[in-house]
Amino acid sequence: MFLSGGREEAVAEYYKLQATEYHHKYYGNDTESDECVKAEVELLQSTLKGLDVLEIACGTGFWTKIVAETAKSIVATDTNPSMIAEAKKRLSHLSNVSFAVADAYSLQNVSEGFTGAFAVLFWCHIPRERIREFLTILHRKLAPGAPVVFICQLEDSDAESHIRDEYGNTLAQRRICGRNFTLVKNIPGKEQLLEDLKDFSEDIRYRVHSGSYWSISWINGKPH
Ligand SMILES: C[S@@+](CC[C@H](N)C(=O)[O-])C[C@H]1O[C@@H](n2cnc3c(N)ncnc32)[C@H](O)[C@@H]1O
């Protein structure tokens, strides 16, 4: 049986079930100095330096901690209270970081006027049919001229078993805690990303980093 309900709910539930082991499973003992994420660290820290930053889908806060080294402040958000609880355990000593439980597709109760924003490993989970709505809601929270950075994976280990749905989403099957999930796992190319963002910015930059990640960064440049 696969989880019924929206694709977004499946993603949220899948991560909720792994909150306590997520950090150790994916980051071990914090590898931000590793060569493999050096370019991503540099991009995030230099782009968001001195800014009041909104983070979407912070998880256990691996990237929050990195961005906090140069940002003025960060409001780190995630839809799962269990993820926020894990992030708080690790980062409660950072005076420029605060946390909020917030669904990325509504950002309810999140304030406005952020001068920067970012998310890591979240774009892949946004259903194609909700990209525009997601970006519109995000941009309402940003000041004009705010830089935004999204970073995600270039490949999935089991890509050969992925299937496509009618919206053009790539779907991956995952099993955790005895439950099966169908997750949106999109890996958009440069042209697709430029198309998705064309109504939000005239200043967009796509990069491929060291074989594992892509990033897209842009300046909030158009009113909506
Ligand atoms: C792959 S993890 C990435 C976490 C973190 N950014 C990182 O790179 O380690 C995806 C995160 O998205 C969160 N998430 C899933 N659906 C969400 C939604 N609708 N709104 C906000 N966060 C969501 C999950 O709870 C999880 O923490």
Side-chain angles (χ1 to χ4, degrees):
M1 278 289 288
F2 289 100
L3 190 81
S4 59
R7 303 231 185 273
E8 306 83 340
E9 283 84 352
V11 170
E13 181 73 6
Y14 174 75
Y15 286 107
K16 179 177 146 190
L17 293 175
Q18 326 180 39
T20 50
E21 62 266 22
Y22 181 88
H23 200 79
H24 184 68
K25 185 171 168 188
Y26 292 104
Y27 297 117
N29 44 10
D30 284 6
T31 54
E32 64 256 44
S33 59
D34 280 3
E35 280 302 304
C36 57
V37 288
K38 214 170 157 188
E40 293 80 358
V41 170
E42 160 63 18
L43 173 66
L44 287 165
Q45 290 188 337
S46 61
T47 308
L48 300 170
K49 187 173 180 176
L51 302 181
D52 292 309
V53 174
L54 172 62
E55 180 180 5
I56 304 295
C58 67
T60 53
F62 175 83
W63 297 96
T64 317
K65 180 170 172 240
I66 286 167
V67 173
E69 284 178 31
T70 61
K72 184 174 167 204
S73 72
I74 305 180
V75 176
T77 67
D78 198 286
T79 197
N80 278 314
S82 50
M83 280 293 189
I84 295 281
E86 292 299 316
K88 277 184 179 170
K89 275 189 216 164
R90 298 182 53 252
L91 306 183
S92 58
H93 61 288
L94 298 179
S95 58
N96 61 343
V97 177
S98 60
F99 294 95
V101 174
D103 183 331
Y105 301 98
S106 68
L107 293 181
Q108 238 173 20
N109 303 322
V110 172
S111 58
E112 297 181 358
F114 289 93
T115 53
F118 78 102
V120 180
L121 298 178
F122 186 65
W123 189 290
C124 59
H125 292 311
I126 307 171
R128 287 232 41 84
E129 64 276 21
R130 295 200 74 180
I131 292 264
R132 190 174 180 83
E133 177 194 354
F134 166 76
L135 288 172
T136 301
I137 287 165
L138 171 63
H139 282 80
R140 282 193 192 128
K141 301 294 181 184
L142 305 180
V148 186
V149 183
F150 273 63
I151 297 176
C152 223
Q153 278 170 305
L154 273 172
E155 289 175 8
D156 211 356
S157 51
D158 63 344
E160 67 290 343
S161 65
H162 290 179
I163 55 168
R164 288 255 173 182
D165 73 5
E166 68 271 32
Y167 300 103
N169 293 303
T170 302
L171 305 178
Q173 310 297 341
R174 295 281 184 275
R175 185 170 174 83
I176 191 155
C177 299
R179 290 168 61 184
N180 294 317
F181 291 87
T182 299
L183 300 184
V184 170
K185 262 323 264 305
N186 291 325
I187 303 177
K190 179 179 178 181
E191 293 313 313
Q192 180 67 67
L193 289 161
L194 295 180
E195 174 68 23
D196 291 339
L197 284 161
K198 73 177 187 332
D199 292 338
F200 297 91
S201 179
E202 284 163 351
D203 186 350
I204 308 171
R205 181 145 181 218
Y206 173 85
R207 300 173 179 84
V208 169
H209 301 262
S210 63
S212 307
Y213 292 100
W214 58 263
S215 71
I216 191 98
S217 53
W218 70 92
I219 302 296
N220 176 23
K222 292 190 174 177
H224 24 260

